[in-house]
Amino acid sequence: MEHKDYSSWRVKPNSSLKLRDIETLPAPTDLPTEEAWQSSMRKLGDKLNKLQGTLHAGKSQGLLLVLQGMDTAGKDGVIRSVFTHISPLGVRAEAFGAPSDLEKSHDFLWRIHPKTPALGEMVIFNRSHYEDVLVTRVRGWVKKDTCEKRFDDIKHFESLLADSGITVLKCYLHISKAEQKKRLQARLDDPHKHWKLQPSDFDDRQLWPKFAEAYEDALSATSTPNAPWYVVPADSKPYRDLFVADLLVQTLESMKLEMPKPLFDLSKVKLD
């Protein structure tokens, strides 16, 4: 299958980003049928599995996938769908909730760094260090100028990861307020999903414009050549998952991964 060009969804550094001007659904012709979605995800899963195996074996590079988005945008769903057929060896997901008292007594990146990938690892951040320039700002816990200083800290941090062999790929799952309403209602209607609901889900919905502004500033300020942001249309779950899977495969392919050389001369091995 041919890869798609996602460059138009890549956030330009220091751009005047306005999320309201970006579609939360792709063109109707790009929406996959169920059959096409399953076929494409299976092929991408096979590629991703092989690439991840090479990454793990080589242990010369690592990859960090950052997933951010409003509640119900699909961070958990992407992880389940995209990584279904991947060996758990060398792959892990890390979720970041509200910081503990100990974490709050340190700098905001203190709790993040130990969770980043080692060489040979692929790590998915379900929320991330960006919460400290999003929720903290919207809730008024830190001032806007503090967030702007943190943007520089984040860029230096991600540059350090890149210099250490870690490729950073960041996806903002872009959902509309109308679609979020449908998904929140679906959770309210399903007792098996009540555990996912928190008061903050509904409080944050009332602060939608402020969150959008905070995201616009953060994405624009921290999308760099070494750690780009992509705005992923997320109202369609199948399209969202295909987008992230294909982009992830393209990113791994661009890393020019290689299997390590054998530790000894295999031609001399003779099995009885």
Side-chain angles (χ1 to χ4, degrees):
M1 60 182 294
E2 293 185 3
H3 290 307
K4 292 189 176 180
D5 180 6
Y6 299 105
S7 59
S8 62
W9 301 98
R10 182 168 173 160
V11 178
K12 295 179 180 179
N14 302 312
S15 58
S16 299
L17 179 66
K18 295 296 180 185
L19 289 172
R20 65 173 178 269
D21 296 333
I22 301 176
E23 297 292 339
T24 55
L25 274 173
T29 53
D30 288 334
L31 289 172
T33 63
E34 177 67 19
E35 182 179 359
W37 176 78
Q38 290 187 0
S39 175
S40 295
M41 287 301 294
R42 185 166 54 251
K43 292 176 182 177
L44 288 168
D46 288 343
K47 286 185 177 181
L48 186 56
N49 189 44
K50 292 176 182 177
L51 288 162
Q52 185 273 325
T54 306
L55 176 75
H56 179 69
K59 289 183 171 53
S60 62
Q61 298 184 69
L63 186 139
L64 173 62
L65 172 64
V66 174
L67 299 176
Q68 287 283 159
M70 297 289 286
D71 294 317
T72 77
K75 297 177 288 294
D76 290 337
V78 165
I79 295 171
R80 282 194 304 270
S81 180
V82 174
F83 295 92
T84 294
H85 303 292
I86 306 302
S87 168
L89 192 64
V91 179
R92 57 184 166 89
E94 300 285 353
F96 293 92
S100 66
D101 289 340
L102 174 63
E103 290 169 339
K104 286 189 287 188
S105 69
H106 290 268
D107 67 88
F108 77 101
L109 291 171
W110 181 80
R111 67 173 181 156
I112 306 297
H113 208 158
K115 306 293 187 181
T116 58
L119 297 178
E121 271 195 316
M122 183 188 302
V123 175
I124 308 103
F125 277 3
N126 183 339
R127 299 189 186 276
S128 66
H129 41 301
Y130 284 90
E131 293 297 295
D132 282 294
V133 292
L134 295 167
V135 175
T136 53
R137 168 179 164 177
V138 172
R139 294 290 181 182
W141 299 331
V142 299
K143 295 181 180 180
K144 185 177 179 180
D145 60 348
T146 298
C147 287
E148 291 174 350
K149 292 178 182 178
R150 287 183 175 182
F151 293 156
D152 289 332
D153 294 332
I154 288 172
K155 284 189 288 186
H156 289 310
F157 173 63
E158 292 173 349
S159 179
L160 170 64
L161 294 179
D163 290 343
S164 303
I166 306 301
T167 295
V168 182
L169 175 64
K170 302 176 294 191
C171 291
Y172 170 71
L173 307 182
H174 187 34
I175 190 175
S176 66
K177 194 174 183 181
E179 179 63 23
Q180 187 196 58
K181 181 179 180 180
K182 293 179 183 178
R183 296 183 187 179
L184 284 174
Q185 187 62 56
R187 290 183 181 181
L188 287 168
D189 295 340
D190 185 351
H192 290 96
K193 294 185 177 180
H194 286 177
W195 67 273
K196 289 187 173 184
L197 295 170
Q198 302 179 47
S200 61
D201 297 340
F202 304 96
D203 295 340
D204 289 351
R205 183 171 168 80
Q206 303 304 314
L207 299 170
W208 190 281
K210 290 186 177 180
F211 269 104
E213 182 180 5
Y215 265 112
E216 288 164 354
D217 289 348
L219 269 58
S220 176
T222 61
S223 187
T224 64
N226 286 334
W229 273 108
Y230 287 85
V231 177
V232 181
D235 277 7
S236 165
K237 295 179 182 180
Y239 182 83
R240 174 201 69 197
D241 296 347
L242 279 175
F243 187 120
V244 175
D246 193 15
L247 183 61
L248 188 55
V249 167
Q250 289 188 46
T251 301
L252 284 162
E253 288 177 342
S254 71
M255 293 164 64
K256 307 298 183 184
L257 302 170
E258 294 182 354
M259 279 289 186
K261 295 181 180 179
L263 298 177
F264 57 97
D265 187 354
L266 300 180
S267 66
K268 295 182 179 180
V269 175
K270 294 184 179 181
L271 298 174
D272 295 333

